[in-house]
Amino acid sequence: MDLVKRLEEYRDRERELMWEGTFAEYFEIACKKPAVARLSHERIYDMIMDGGVDTTRTGETRYRFFSDEIFGIEKPLQQIVDYFHSAAQRLEVRKRVLLLMGPVGGGKSTIVHLIKRGLEAYSRTPEGAIYAIKDCPMHEEPLHLIPYELRGEVEKDFGLYVEGDLCPHCRYMVDNNYRGRIEEVPLKRITFSEKYRVGVGTFTPSDPKSQDISELVGGIDLSTIGEVGVESDPRAYRFDGELNIANRGVMEFVEMLKTDEKFLYVLLTLSQEQNIKTGRFSMIYADEVVVSHTNEHEYQSFVGNKKSEALQDRIILAKVPYNLRVSDEVKIYEKLLKQSSLQNVHIAPYTLRIASIFAILTRLEPSKKAGMSLMKKLKLYDGEDMEDFKQKDVRELQEEAVREGMDGISPRYVINRLSNALIKNNVTYISPIDALRALRDGLDQHTSITREERERYLNFIHEARKEYDEIAKKEVQRAFVYSYEESARTMLNNYLDNVESYCNKTKLRDPITDEEMEPDEHLMRSIEEQIGVSENAKRSFREEILIRISSLARKGLTFDYTSHERLKEAIEKKLFADLRDVVKITTSTRTPDKEQLRKINEVVERLVAEQGYTYESANELLRYTGSLLNR
């Protein structure tokens, strides 16, 4: 990277964003590209949609604008996008405050952060270009300069919708500096920036006794009153409140329901009338999105307060629960860990998955369906089909659960505990067992859980441990089987010969004696039983295999034991069952002989090369699996 050259390129791009001109020049731009005069909700909606849209395997819409940072809460995001979509059509919903409600660490503030940062980036693109009256403290939409009497004709002839009126500062400037010649008023292109207080504002409540309303709506500039004479002169007022500077963009109202009532009254007028009442001036038009977030307890108190009914009626509520999919929870932890400097510590395969299983179990509600355990529910939500439940049952399970995802362990707790395990002295890797140990030990330090919850969470750690035990055995099984690939192929060919004979009702021929034989039912069942194929289901399973072979053959492809996922699992399990004693002896012997050592080394090399382990974590996995097999 040539830093000096890149800096020059950066300055060139910045200069391109510094367009200045007159209202007459801007009007020509707006006529050719009406999007520059969009209202705030429409701008945010277009920004989200410009990022692109995907459809998940469950048919849910996934917005790429959020997809790198937010995982597993597609429905709340869909509700938020629907709000912006309706508001973009200038429907009444745009005159509402968007309130995100959910548990701590669920992603509420991240959603707002993405919208704010997204707007900043979008305003720097040709698609998101935005212009304002030069030196206006509220970054006024230039079309507000057009007199009301002419706006109907402008919309009819040019398709430009104009809403709102000039702020006191710009009205004074037009009347006194330009004598009403609006075509000469200077404009400039602006880029949103929270740092420079342009189009992005944030209001954080503090002590109501010391916090002044001017933080929201601006205040009198005492230093200029002597010059201008009266407080009602716009030159004597600082339009620098968060609602002023967020005009045409977005204002984040942090923990809105914790703030003093006097601040909420300002939102009543802004949300319904799109006006701000400041000082000695009449109502000032403001076009901005107000987003806030709160927790469930604060929201229930707010709803129960009769004094707040007027504001309640002006709120659009979007519930943002915890993610309930294990695969998406893993992505959350991967994202958070990538942001750290702990790049030298190896995280063994399945460590984040097992931590995620524990976290999701704490968030799920028990189902009334017979035979539906929390672990089965977890796997269904993650896209796995169970023997007695399928993906079609998921919607019914979701409808049955009233508050699912609103309680439980937060991602912050899990990442805090993982971080605690990662920073210990001489730690070069952490395994799933290390993660579960860290999660368990941290429960005593968790300030907000009761004794009953702690006992329940300890049970979930036990459930996650049992899940890992099965995964560990499969990992070693897979590594051992790879060392016996020839055996796997031989077993597959024997099975397929017998299946073909069974389905076609023919006999097999003994390769040595040339005698005719019945299909070997014992061999076929010994493989099929490994994956729970019942006696009644064996024919359909075998016919399914033959159909798969025919389908691949038509495409010129060869069927092998990896071509059918369930058959692959059955072959591996059967082979591993046959090898169980070998594995048991090999992994648990304290002083292995030369042959056993060779097998161990082969398996370790396979785990390192193909399954993402280090030599240390692979050896720990073998020791752990050996202890499981010897129980």
Side-chain angles (χ1 to χ4, degrees):
M1 172 185 175
D2 185 340
L3 180 59
V4 174
K5 184 179 179 183
R6 293 295 295 274
L7 286 171
E8 288 175 358
E9 291 171 354
Y10 172 77
R11 285 191 289 270
D12 288 341
R13 287 197 302 272
E14 290 299 297
R15 278 191 286 270
E16 289 175 10
L17 298 173
M18 293 178 183
W19 178 94
E20 292 192 9
T22 63
F23 175 75
E25 292 173 295
Y26 169 74
F27 190 73
E28 287 184 24
I29 294 173
C31 289
K32 293 175 184 175
K33 190 179 176 183
V36 297
R38 285 170 292 192
L39 298 177
S40 57
H41 289 83
E42 185 179 0
R43 181 174 291 106
I44 291 178
Y45 177 71
D46 288 346
M47 171 190 73
I48 293 170
M49 297 309 293
D50 280 0
V53 180
D54 296 319
T55 303
T56 67
R57 62 186 177 186
T58 55
E60 293 175 314
T61 301
R62 176 171 290 164
Y63 297 93
R64 291 181 201 160
F65 177 81
F66 299 105
S67 61
D68 289 340
E69 296 285 334
I70 305 288
F71 307 100
I73 51 171
E74 280 76 20
K75 287 185 179 177
L77 289 177
Q78 181 65 65
Q79 187 181 352
I80 291 167
V81 174
D82 287 346
Y83 160 78
F84 282 113
H85 191 188
S86 299
Q89 313 302 315
R90 301 200 295 273
L91 296 172
E92 189 71 10
V93 72
R94 72 192 172 109
K95 299 179 180 180
R96 306 287 182 269
V97 175
L98 177 62
L99 179 63
L100 310 182
M101 185 268 284
V104 294
K108 305 183 298 295
S109 56
T110 305
I111 291 170
V112 183
H113 173 81
L114 285 175
I115 290 172
K116 293 199 295 186
R117 297 295 84 80
L119 263 181
E120 290 178 343
Y122 189 59
S123 68
R124 302 173 72 85
T125 65
E127 298 77 21
I130 183 169
Y131 300 83
I133 297 172
K134 190 175 181 181
D135 298 326
C136 173
M138 292 182 62
H139 331 296
E140 192 92 33
E141 164 56 58
L143 293 183
H144 290 177
L145 291 162
I146 299 174
Y148 277 99
E149 292 79 4
L150 301 180
R151 290 184 181 181
E153 292 180 51
V154 167
E155 183 172 2
K156 181 180 177 182
D157 293 348
F158 302 102
L160 292 172
Y161 173 77
V162 187
E163 176 182 287
D165 200 2
L166 291 173
C167 71
H169 177 277
C170 291
R171 193 179 304 119
Y172 180 91
M173 177 192 67
V174 171
D175 292 345
N176 292 277
N177 297 357
Y178 294 92
R179 306 296 179 188
R181 296 183 60 81
I182 65 168
E183 63 271 24
E184 296 175 5
V185 173
L187 312 181
K188 66 176 183 177
R189 180 174 173 179
I190 61 172
T191 54
F192 286 156
S193 170
E194 184 169 22
K195 187 190 303 180
Y196 291 104
R197 295 172 60 76
V198 179
V200 181
T202 303
F203 180 80
T204 306
S206 59
D207 182 5
K209 294 178 182 177
S210 61
Q211 195 165 28
D212 192 80
I213 195 72
S214 63
E215 288 187 37
L216 267 183
V217 299
I220 298 294
D221 186 351
L222 298 175
S223 65
T224 58
I225 289 181
E227 297 175 23
V228 299
V230 291
E231 292 183 5
S232 58
D233 191 307
R235 292 172 296 173
Y237 197 86
R238 291 180 288 104
F239 296 89
D240 60 355
E242 296 301 319
L243 291 177
N244 302 114
I245 63 101
N247 184 41
R248 305 187 71 195
V250 62
M251 205 279 280
E252 177 185 10
F253 208 124
V254 179
E255 296 291 351
M256 181 180 82
L257 303 185
K258 290 181 179 178
T259 196
D260 192 70
E261 286 183 359
K262 65 184 178 183
F263 296 101
L264 298 181
Y265 291 143
V266 176
L267 292 185
L268 284 176
T269 309
L270 176 65
S271 59
Q272 189 60 40
E273 307 297 332
Q274 292 186 287
N275 286 311
I276 306 169
K277 184 71 175 82
T278 58
R280 305 286 196 276
F281 304 109
S282 60
M283 293 293 189
I284 299 173
Y285 172 82
D287 163 38
E288 59 195 80
V289 175
V290 179
V291 187
S292 185
H293 37 88
T294 189
N295 59 52
E296 191 174 20
H297 176 72
E298 294 281 351
Y299 179 73
Q300 294 301 337
S301 301
F302 170 70
V303 170
N305 184 358
K306 293 293 182 183
K307 290 183 180 179
S308 63
E309 283 182 343
L311 185 58
Q312 289 174 32
D313 198 42
R314 291 167 171 81
I315 282 176
I316 294 291
L317 180 68
K319 291 184 180 181
V320 184
Y322 287 132
N323 159 57
L324 297 175
R325 284 202 293 262
V326 172
S327 53
D328 285 320
E329 191 76 5
V330 171
K331 292 175 185 175
I332 294 172
Y333 302 145
E334 287 174 341
K335 180 193 79 170
L336 294 172
L337 287 169
K338 279 178 186 174
Q339 295 169 358
S340 74
S341 60
L342 291 165
Q343 306 300 326
N344 297 326
V345 180
H346 172 69
I347 298 174
Y350 297 100
T351 300
L352 299 183
R353 181 171 179 79
I354 294 302
S356 299
I357 286 174
F358 163 70
I360 302 297
L361 284 173
T362 68
R363 303 168 189 170
L364 295 176
E365 288 184 11
S367 172
K368 295 175 184 175
K369 276 180 170 284
M372 177 59 71
S373 66
L374 285 183
M375 188 61 79
K376 283 184 179 179
K377 193 178 193 182
L378 175 146
K379 291 180 179 180
L380 277 170
Y381 279 6
D382 204 36
E384 294 182 46
D385 282 338
M386 300 289 100
E387 189 178 340
D388 40 358
F389 298 101
K390 304 296 178 188
Q391 288 302 299
K392 59 182 175 62
D393 297 306
V394 169
R395 184 178 292 276
E396 190 178 339
L397 289 169
Q398 291 171 335
E399 290 172 354
E400 175 191 37
V402 180
R403 295 186 62 259
E404 199 160 65
M406 299 300 284
D407 290 312
I409 288 292
S410 77
R412 285 180 191 160
Y413 172 79
V414 175
I415 210 69
N416 288 346
R417 297 310 305 162
L418 290 176
S419 301
N420 185 265
L422 284 164
I423 61 172
K424 288 183 178 177
N425 289 336
N426 302 319
V427 168
T428 57
Y429 71 94
I430 64 166
S431 67
I433 297 301
D434 295 326
L436 289 176
R437 189 181 297 117
L439 291 168
R440 181 200 64 198
D441 294 346
L443 292 176
D444 292 330
Q445 303 163 23
H446 202 298
T447 55
S448 61
I449 64 172
T450 63
R451 181 178 296 178
E452 292 76 14
E453 283 175 327
R454 183 179 180 278
E455 290 303 314
R456 195 161 59 91
Y457 291 172
L458 286 173
N459 286 333
F460 291 145
I461 285 177
H462 180 65
E463 287 292 310
R465 171 77 174 264
K466 287 199 299 187
E467 191 67 18
Y468 176 61
D469 288 351
E470 292 305 310
I471 290 171
K473 285 187 277 190
K474 283 181 182 177
E475 281 285 89
V476 175
Q477 163 189 312
R478 198 174 295 123
F480 263 89
V481 167
Y482 277 133
S483 300
Y484 293 89
E485 285 185 8
E486 190 58 42
S487 301
R489 280 194 290 271
T490 302
M491 186 179 290
L492 173 73
N493 290 332
N494 285 339
Y495 176 75
L496 293 180
D497 287 343
N498 282 279
V499 163
E500 190 174 1
S501 175
Y502 170 84
C503 291
N504 295 333
K505 297 181 180 178
T506 59
K507 293 187 177 182
L508 289 166
R509 200 168 285 279
D510 190 299
I512 299 173
T513 64
D514 205 34
E515 292 177 348
E516 287 189 337
M517 304 179 300
E518 293 294 332
D520 189 342
E521 186 67 21
H522 176 73
L523 170 70
M524 290 186 286
R525 292 303 294 143
S526 70
I527 292 172
E528 292 159 355
E529 285 170 352
Q530 300 293 330
I531 52 171
V533 175
S534 66
E535 185 72 25
N536 292 333
K538 69 182 183 182
R539 172 172 285 279
S540 61
F541 179 76
R542 293 169 187 176
E543 287 173 348
E544 180 188 324
I545 298 297
L546 290 184
I547 291 169
R548 179 69 61 85
I549 293 171
S550 300
S551 174
L552 289 172
R554 283 198 302 272
K555 298 173 184 174
L557 301 174
T558 305
F559 185 95
D560 65 21
Y561 92 98
T562 63
S563 299
H564 189 282
E565 192 59 39
R566 292 191 71 207
L567 180 58
K568 173 178 178 287
E569 183 184 352
I571 294 284
E572 288 181 351
K573 281 187 172 181
K574 170 61 176 164
L575 202 52
F576 189 60
D578 295 344
L579 292 168
R580 189 182 183 90
D581 290 337
V582 176
V583 176
K584 208 167 163 183
I585 294 167
T586 308
T587 56
S588 60
T589 304
R590 291 186 180 180
T591 54
D593 60 31
K594 192 174 180 180
E595 181 59 21
Q596 290 169 342
L597 200 57
R598 184 185 65 79
K599 287 178 181 176
I600 288 175
N601 289 336
E602 279 183 9
V603 171
V604 168
E605 290 291 344
R606 182 75 66 174
L607 288 168
V608 172
E610 298 188 11
Q611 287 165 249
Y613 290 84
T614 61
Y615 287 101
E616 293 89 349
S617 58
N619 277 297
E620 180 183 317
L621 174 68
L622 284 174
R623 287 193 297 272
Y624 183 73
T625 307
S627 70
L628 290 175
L629 295 174
N630 278 299
R631 286 177 188 172

